[in-house]
Amino acid sequence: MNSKKTWLITGAGRGMGVEFARAALAAGHDVVATGRNPEAVAKAVGDGLFAVKLDVTQRGDAEAAVKAAVERFGRIDVLVNNAAIFEAGFFEELTPEQIERTLAANLVGQMDVTRAVLPLMRAQGAGHVVTISSTAGLASGVEFTSAYAASKFGLEGWMEALRVEVAPFGIHTTVVNPGFFRTELLSEQSTRYAEPSVADYDARRGPLMAAWTATHGQQAGDPAKLAQALLTIASQQPPPRRFLAGADAISTAEQKIADLQADIESNRQLSTSLAFDA
């Protein structure tokens, strides 16, 4: 790393967030590690960090966490939007409340935290907003992921638009698309399944739930290595606008590119014939 920075990390009480905070601390940075329970965050990460309460679904928490970070360290150089939940199930069986919870935690909450940080970064004339998306934000042909994918696709569009808005202020943005990493996202504490309500899905529901449950703890990706990759990204000048995390993430992106190209070619003539006649 080129110099000491102040990092603010959401969702630092478990999973990737813990590894991100540990790596930044070990590299000599100041770390504001946030979560719904700051005591649990401090216990999970260890000594040396500044643990602050931040439930991303509570707008006031974001503003208070940024204020506390500034009072302690004077600035925020790197924001890592990491907090997320997984409400799994067929779209028809997910309740409106489950979908709203997903969007609140995975999309709107990240927006609110970023909105609270941006005035500080503009005043500094520098900053880096890193948002943890997913391969489900690039392509989602997997059952049970409709709400999660909707939130991650939303993150993608928001971050792409944000990038051009804040670039004139010296602020960079990076979207990170992890594949399957061995975190707690699929644990009982982090995943909630829709209640069965549509008989037409009965034959498929059980095997799908079993497959998702069996995936937990077997994912190929190492969160500690992703944390080190994040340190590398944050040190690059300029940092990348996107980072595909994992060989499976690269495969997903390459298939998405191929699918888009096939869609273009399948109706190229029709697509290009839609302008007013000269």
Side-chain angles (χ1 to χ4, degrees):
M1 301 294 291
N2 295 329
S3 60
K4 186 173 185 177
K5 297 179 180 179
T6 298
W7 291 52
L8 190 153
I9 303 169
T10 69
R14 63 173 59 187
M16 288 183 183
V18 173
E19 298 297 340
F20 295 160
R22 287 174 178 169
L25 278 171
H29 299 294
D30 294 322
V31 176
V32 183
T34 74
R36 294 180 179 181
N37 184 338
E39 290 78 17
V41 171
K43 182 178 180 180
V45 178
D47 297 332
L49 59 81
F50 180 39
V52 176
K53 180 181 182 299
L54 172 49
D55 178 346
V56 297
T57 66
Q58 302 297 316
R59 192 167 298 156
D61 279 10
E63 296 167 353
V66 170
K67 181 179 180 181
V70 173
E71 289 176 350
R72 180 70 170 264
F73 299 116
R75 60 188 294 119
I76 297 172
D77 300 293
V78 182
L79 166 64
V80 182
N81 288 313
N82 169 69
I85 64 171
F86 184 30
E87 299 273 0
F90 295 113
F91 172 70
E92 283 190 88
E93 294 189 327
L94 288 165
T95 65
E97 291 75 20
Q98 286 181 293
I99 293 172
E100 288 168 5
R101 279 199 299 267
T102 300
L103 295 176
N106 296 3
L107 174 59
V108 178
Q110 317 310 322
M111 290 178 168
D112 286 340
V113 175
T114 304
R115 185 184 292 109
V117 170
L118 284 178
L120 176 63
M121 289 185 172
R122 281 193 288 104
Q124 294 169 177
H128 188 187
V129 178
V130 180
T131 296
I132 309 300
S133 179
S134 168
T135 51
L138 288 174
S140 186
V142 180
E143 294 177 301
F144 270 32
T145 63
S146 56
Y148 185 77
S151 69
K152 295 300 186 178
F153 265 79
L155 278 181
E156 300 274 334
W158 163 57
M159 284 291 287
E160 288 193 8
L162 181 67
R163 178 175 62 85
V164 296
E165 292 180 357
V166 300
F169 305 114
I171 302 171
H172 299 282
T173 69
T174 299
V175 174
V176 178
N177 296 101
F180 278 97
F181 277 77
R182 201 168 299 178
T183 69
E184 297 179 37
L185 184 64
L186 296 179
S187 68
E188 293 181 1
Q189 293 78 16
S190 297
T191 299
R192 285 180 286 193
Y193 291 96
E195 291 293 328
S197 61
V198 180
D200 285 343
Y201 293 112
D202 286 350
R204 289 151 59 194
R205 188 186 306 104
L208 277 168
M209 290 186 67
W212 278 109
T213 301
T215 300
H216 177 56
Q218 302 301 315
Q219 302 96 320
D222 182 344
K225 290 183 177 179
L226 177 55
Q228 292 301 317
L230 210 63
L231 289 175
T232 298
I233 291 167
S235 70
Q236 293 174 343
Q237 295 296 329
R241 62 188 177 188
R242 182 182 300 278
F243 176 67
L244 297 166
D248 54 344
I250 290 176
S251 296
T252 297
E254 289 176 335
Q255 185 60 54
K256 180 71 171 186
I257 292 168
D259 290 344
L260 284 171
Q261 192 62 50
D263 290 338
I264 290 170
E265 297 305 330
S266 68
N267 276 295
R268 179 182 289 274
Q269 185 173 355
L270 180 60
S271 295
T272 56
S273 69
L274 304 179
F276 283 105
D277 293 331

